[in-house]
Amino acid sequence: MVDLRSRAGRFAIVGLLILLPLLLQQIDDYILHIAIIIGIYAILSLSLNVIVGYAGQFALGHAAFYGIGAYTAALLMLHGSASFWLALAAAAAVTGLFGLLLGSPVIRLRGDYLGIVTLGFGEIVRLIFVNWVDVTRGPMGLPGIPAPSLFGHAFTEKIEFYYLILALVLLTYFIINRIVHSGIGLNLLTIREDETLAQSVGIRPNPYKLLAFSLGACFAGVAGAYWAAYISYVSPDSFRYLDSVNILAMVILGGTASLPGSILGAILLVLAPEILRYMNDYRMMLLGLAIILMMIFKPSGFWGEKHRKYNFYGLAQKGGRK
């Protein structure tokens, strides 16, 4: 039995993910499409977990960063003749900046108040997409977004998009995993549990909260840029309040402050509506009931946060307290 927590176990999982589409492609492109959507939501869930799970900030506007990334990449590729890779980097930078701008005035808010402000931010961004017709074409959206290309080869097959989203998911997981398992991650958890205690031991909460907002927004922008290139069309309908709630549900169901839990939550909430599609009239009701039962009997999520042990001196040498 392979231990999933070992390095060999992780390599086995990555190898399976690389080989899996070669088998799935023989079945149906629809399966690959679902796998791609899971990858997009895995990035969104991982990025939101930095804000909600590690920094303890109740954010309800994550779809806004997703949309900003999508529109930034789409406009650059359509009107700026930028390549997908340049547009991807620009989308990450722009959404990271917006995360910093949003975080600066709201980091002193907590709980429901913070949720209301971020919800308002998400709706403001969506309304800008709808009403700024000269730039976004309003409800008509932006069609004809070019596909990514690599060494002169344009992506046309779903299996190519699958490998691209797989690479982005692995890169996102690697970067976030390194950050949250460093002194920065410990400081974020300390701030989440007791901000007063964190200040008493020399941890300044505001810079870490801003870092969490910027980092989460940055990777949401990456997901948005990929979505724009994959669908080749963006419109305001793709970035609604319910999408933010759906991403938050993935984080909570999978397990807050748990990166594998974020991916598991994305898999469950993308697959569940598809599995229940034959019960179209009742599937959302059944999905809601399942979520309620989950929160009652397993509130920490399917793959909840595990207790981590730290060596104080080793952490201090890495600059854990700043």
Side-chain angles (χ1 to χ4, degrees):
M1 189 102 181
V2 178
D3 184 2
L4 299 181
R5 293 171 297 181
S6 67
R7 179 172 296 182
R10 295 191 187 102
F11 278 120
I13 293 173
V14 172
L16 177 62
L17 291 172
I18 292 173
L19 295 175
L20 186 61
L22 299 177
L23 302 175
L24 296 180
Q25 193 180 34
Q26 306 302 319
I27 303 172
D28 196 343
D29 273 354
Y30 173 71
I31 304 296
L32 275 178
H33 173 71
I34 296 300
I36 289 168
I37 299 302
I38 289 173
I40 294 171
Y41 276 102
I43 294 176
L44 291 170
S45 182
L46 285 166
S47 61
L48 182 59
N49 211 341
V50 176
I51 301 172
V52 175
Y54 286 90
Q57 305 298 294
F58 183 54
L60 279 174
H62 210 58
F65 299 127
Y66 180 36
I68 291 170
Y71 271 93
T72 299
L75 290 169
L76 285 173
M77 287 190 284
L78 287 172
H79 303 306
S81 300
S83 68
F84 167 75
W85 310 105
L86 179 59
L88 182 72
V94 170
T95 50
L97 178 60
F98 270 95
L100 183 64
L101 293 175
L102 172 65
S104 297
V106 305
I107 52 176
R108 292 175 179 82
L109 300 176
R110 298 182 184 179
D112 297 340
Y113 298 102
L114 178 59
I116 292 170
V117 171
T118 54
L119 171 61
F121 170 75
E123 283 301 293
I124 289 170
V125 170
R126 188 185 67 82
L127 290 174
I128 290 174
F129 293 156
V130 172
N131 293 292
W132 200 3
V133 179
D134 292 340
V135 176
T136 65
R137 299 184 75 243
M140 295 181 291
L142 296 171
I145 300 169
S149 61
L150 188 64
F151 302 118
H153 171 72
F155 288 18
T156 56
E157 301 293 332
K158 279 191 169 57
I159 192 168
E160 296 169 333
F161 282 98
Y162 171 85
Y163 282 126
L164 176 56
I165 192 61
L166 176 60
L168 292 175
V169 170
L170 292 176
L171 179 63
T172 301
Y173 188 97
F174 174 77
I175 294 174
I176 294 179
N177 184 64
R178 292 302 297 257
I179 290 173
V180 300
H181 286 88
S182 68
I184 294 174
L186 177 58
N187 289 345
L188 285 173
L189 289 174
T190 305
I191 294 167
R192 184 195 71 182
E193 294 300 325
D194 193 327
E195 193 168 316
T196 304
L197 175 63
Q199 290 176 314
S200 70
V201 295
I203 299 172
R204 295 181 297 167
N206 289 351
Y208 286 99
K209 290 180 182 179
L210 287 175
L211 175 63
F213 267 103
S214 297
L215 186 65
C218 176
F219 283 106
V222 169
Y226 175 89
W227 168 258
Y230 173 59
I231 299 297
S232 75
Y233 171 77
V234 292
S235 73
D237 291 337
S238 301
F239 315 109
R240 301 167 298 169
Y241 158 69
L242 289 178
D243 295 292
S244 294
V245 174
N246 196 31
I247 300 166
L248 181 62
M250 292 174 184
V251 173
I252 294 173
L253 286 181
T256 55
S258 168
L259 300 187
S262 294
I263 296 176
L264 180 59
I267 293 171
L268 292 174
L269 283 187
V270 171
L271 287 182
E274 300 301 324
I275 294 173
L276 298 173
R277 186 174 291 276
Y278 69 95
M279 302 178 65
N280 191 52
D281 294 335
Y282 304 101
R283 62 175 179 161
M284 296 311 295
M285 182 181 69
L286 293 174
L287 182 58
L289 178 62
I291 292 175
I292 291 171
L293 293 175
M294 174 69 190
M295 298 313 298
I296 291 173
F297 296 106
K298 200 171 178 59
S300 62
F302 283 106
W303 198 318
E305 178 183 0
K306 296 181 178 179
H307 295 289
R308 300 192 299 177
K309 296 181 180 179
Y310 295 90
N311 182 299
F312 174 83
Y313 297 103
L315 185 61
Q317 291 173 356
K318 294 179 182 179
R321 290 185 181 179
K322 292 184 181 177

